[in-house]
Amino acid sequence: MKYLLKKVLGESGFDFLAIRFRFLRNLLALFKNFFMDMCLYFKHSNVFSSDSFEKIEARIILNYHGIEKGFVHDKIRPRFAIKRVKNLISDLQAIDERYQHNSQTTIAQKVLIDYYEYHKKNNIAIGDYFSEEIYNIFKSRCVLKEKAFVEKNEAEYFSDVNKTFDLFSNSRKSIRSFTNERISEDVIKEVVDLASNAPSVCNRQPARVYFINNKVLVNKVLDLQGGLTGFQNEINQIFVVTVDRNYFYTIGERNQFYIDGGIYLMNLMYALHFKKIGCCPANWGKTVDVDKEAQKILNLKKSEKIICVLAVGYVSGNIKYTLSKRRPLNEILRVLE
Ligand SMILES: Cc1cc2nc3c(=O)[nH]c(=O)nc-3n(C[C@H](O)[C@H](O)[C@H](O)COP(=O)(O)O)c2cc1C
């Protein structure tokens, strides 16, 4: 067939048609694949339905983590996160009625117990949205000893930084409050140099890092980001991690830049921890409109996709971070023989 077409069209005519055919075939594949991604997201994400155990559990994690974050502020606001508490109680009741509890729904109850006891100890009434009866139910079945947040001083927090990888990795936590001391450009260069050890598909190294050292710009980005409200006054410097779409070849690679960017981000966080600098990643799960606004603010190339914002800074004194209890192995690992 190929031979016949070449004979009829000639070498250059054949090439002309072949290029257009490949273009069309890729365009159709692009539509099909993004359309299927859309269908799967529509069907299985929490956006359009909330019927499964996993979806209720996801909301529970979102809400208990929001309450944990309320505890790590220097000044804890009385009756904070009322809506989260109400939603959490209602979702935990749904689990009671229909499903079995797991690590995350169990820790959620402990976070609520801490919330209730904190308010009781400080004589702050919360009975209008969190009754003693519900507290007693959680308390009677909870055996966990951990608290919703952890407090350490600077020396304790960084004590495992130069030890073996298991201790090093266990000791990194998301820190959301920083001192006013600025990280110098020289230190930032060392950090980024170290982070660049991150592996990437075929060593394409598509990640780029913007270090923002200007508080006005930092605030603009954090306002758009929206996940660090309440901590923003103490954040003076941020990284914005992007990935350049120019480095991806196939339709199958349409989501690859999130993987390469994610690996880079993790290495950047480890590099910062190694240099005894605190950091907290801040979610960039944004719609295209917000992406466009950020691109304008930061003067990014159109081909660049922001992966994450990373608040950074030195820490001192009393360092507080969320417990963020991890799942046990049996909720994560499946071995297929
Ligand atoms: C991609 C990503 C986005 C995140 N976004 C936010 C955010 O917007 N606000 C925030 O306070 N924490 C954010 N975090 C921090 C998580 O809450 C934190 O990593 C998680 O609770 C685990 O705790 P740890 O980092 O202390 O181990 C984010 C983390 C990741 C990896």
Side-chain angles (χ1 to χ4, degrees):
M1 179 74 168
K2 207 166 151 185
Y3 174 78
L4 201 69
L5 276 174
K6 270 191 185 172
K7 267 264 183 244
V8 175
L9 299 169
E11 198 74 42
S12 58
F14 177 83
D15 286 349
F16 179 85
L17 266 190
I19 288 168
R20 266 144 197 82
F21 175 74
R22 230 175 290 136
F23 180 85
L24 210 68
R25 196 181 54 189
N26 278 337
L27 194 63
L28 284 175
L30 186 71
F31 273 116
K32 180 185 165 189
N33 280 272
F34 271 113
F35 181 75
M36 289 308 293
D37 287 348
M38 184 186 83
C39 292
L40 289 169
Y41 200 72
F42 173 78
K43 192 164 173 207
H44 298 293
S45 76
N46 230 314
V47 185
F48 299 97
S49 60
S50 51
D51 47 357
S52 64
F53 170 81
E54 288 82 1
K55 285 177 180 145
I56 302 174
E57 187 206 20
R59 282 201 307 271
I60 287 175
I61 295 173
L62 187 77
N63 285 317
Y64 90 63
H65 183 56
I67 299 171
E68 285 181 326
K69 273 168 64 175
F71 275 117
V72 305
H73 288 287
D74 274 346
K75 284 198 184 102
I76 299 175
R77 201 162 42 84
R79 292 168 61 91
F80 66 93
I82 293 181
K83 205 167 161 206
R84 289 193 187 280
V85 172
K86 286 183 182 170
N87 289 341
L88 200 44
I89 291 172
S90 139
D91 277 335
L92 285 168
Q93 279 165 347
I95 297 284
D96 275 346
E97 283 159 19
R98 279 183 269 161
Y99 303 102
Q100 293 218 317
H101 284 277
N102 74 356
S103 68
Q104 298 305 297
T105 64
T106 305
I107 194 68
Q109 294 173 61
K110 180 63 175 65
V111 170
L112 281 175
I113 290 170
D114 288 354
Y115 183 93
Y116 188 94
E117 291 177 352
Y118 169 80
H119 284 86
K120 187 159 188 192
K121 190 171 149 207
N122 290 284
N123 290 319
I124 305 165
I126 57 168
D128 50 319
Y129 60 95
F130 190 172
S131 72
E132 189 173 359
E133 191 191 346
I134 290 174
Y135 162 75
N136 284 334
I137 294 173
F138 295 150
K139 185 79 178 166
S140 66
R141 62 190 185 194
C142 184
V143 292
L144 297 176
K145 292 273 177 284
E146 296 120 308
K147 267 172 43 180
F149 64 95
V150 181
E151 278 179 290
K152 283 187 176 171
N153 63 38
E154 189 187 342
E156 282 170 334
Y157 179 66
F158 288 117
S159 62
D160 285 341
V161 157
N162 289 311
K163 297 199 177 147
T164 50
F165 181 74
D166 49 350
L167 294 172
F168 171 82
S169 139
N170 261 323
S171 70
R172 185 222 49 84
K173 304 291 167 191
S174 289
I175 306 294
R176 297 170 176 84
S177 301
F178 310 100
T179 66
N180 280 328
E181 188 187 350
R182 299 267 170 159
I183 310 165
S184 72
E185 226 177 289
D186 283 346
V187 173
I188 288 301
K189 282 178 183 163
E190 285 171 24
V191 165
V192 174
D193 203 32
L194 189 55
S196 300
N197 287 330
S200 61
V201 58
C202 314
N203 201 29
R204 287 181 222 170
Q205 305 168 70
R208 299 290 176 267
V209 189
Y210 294 81
F211 179 64
I212 304 178
N213 199 12
N214 168 324
K215 182 64 179 154
V216 175
L217 209 50
V218 165
N219 278 346
K220 277 188 185 173
V221 175
L222 291 181
D223 284 345
L224 271 186
Q225 191 277 330
L228 288 167
T229 40
F231 300 98
Q232 211 160 312
N233 285 343
E234 291 159 75
I235 302 172
N236 295 310
Q237 297 173 302
I238 58 174
F239 280 114
V240 175
V241 178
T242 72
V243 178
D244 191 334
R245 291 181 180 89
N246 278 306
Y247 291 91
F248 300 93
Y249 300 97
T250 66
I251 309 299
E253 284 185 346
R254 68 198 174 282
N255 296 315
Q256 181 66 37
F257 54 89
Y258 293 108
I259 297 167
D260 286 21
I263 292 172
Y264 193 90
L265 174 70
M266 186 71 245
N267 226 31
L268 185 59
M269 290 195 281
Y270 277 150
L272 286 160
H273 190 51
F274 180 67
K275 294 277 180 190
K276 300 191 177 172
I277 297 169
C279 70
C280 180
N283 182 22
W284 197 264
K286 300 293 181 197
T287 56
V288 284
D289 294 336
V290 183
D291 262 342
K292 270 189 191 160
E293 220 171 310
Q295 248 162 357
K296 224 185 288 167
I297 293 173
L298 297 170
N299 202 16
L300 303 180
K301 288 197 292 182
K302 290 228 166 80
S303 56
E304 274 178 288
K305 173 80 189 84
I306 298 179
I307 295 295
C308 201
V309 171
L310 192 61
V312 290
Y314 289 112
V315 294
S316 75
N318 198 26
I319 300 166
K320 274 169 137 188
Y321 54 85
T322 59
L323 174 66
S324 294
K325 174 92 170 159
R326 299 306 205 260
R327 296 180 190 281
L329 269 185
N330 67 355
E331 287 180 27
I332 301 173
L333 178 67
R334 299 277 174 276
V335 178
L336 307 179
E337 303 275 12

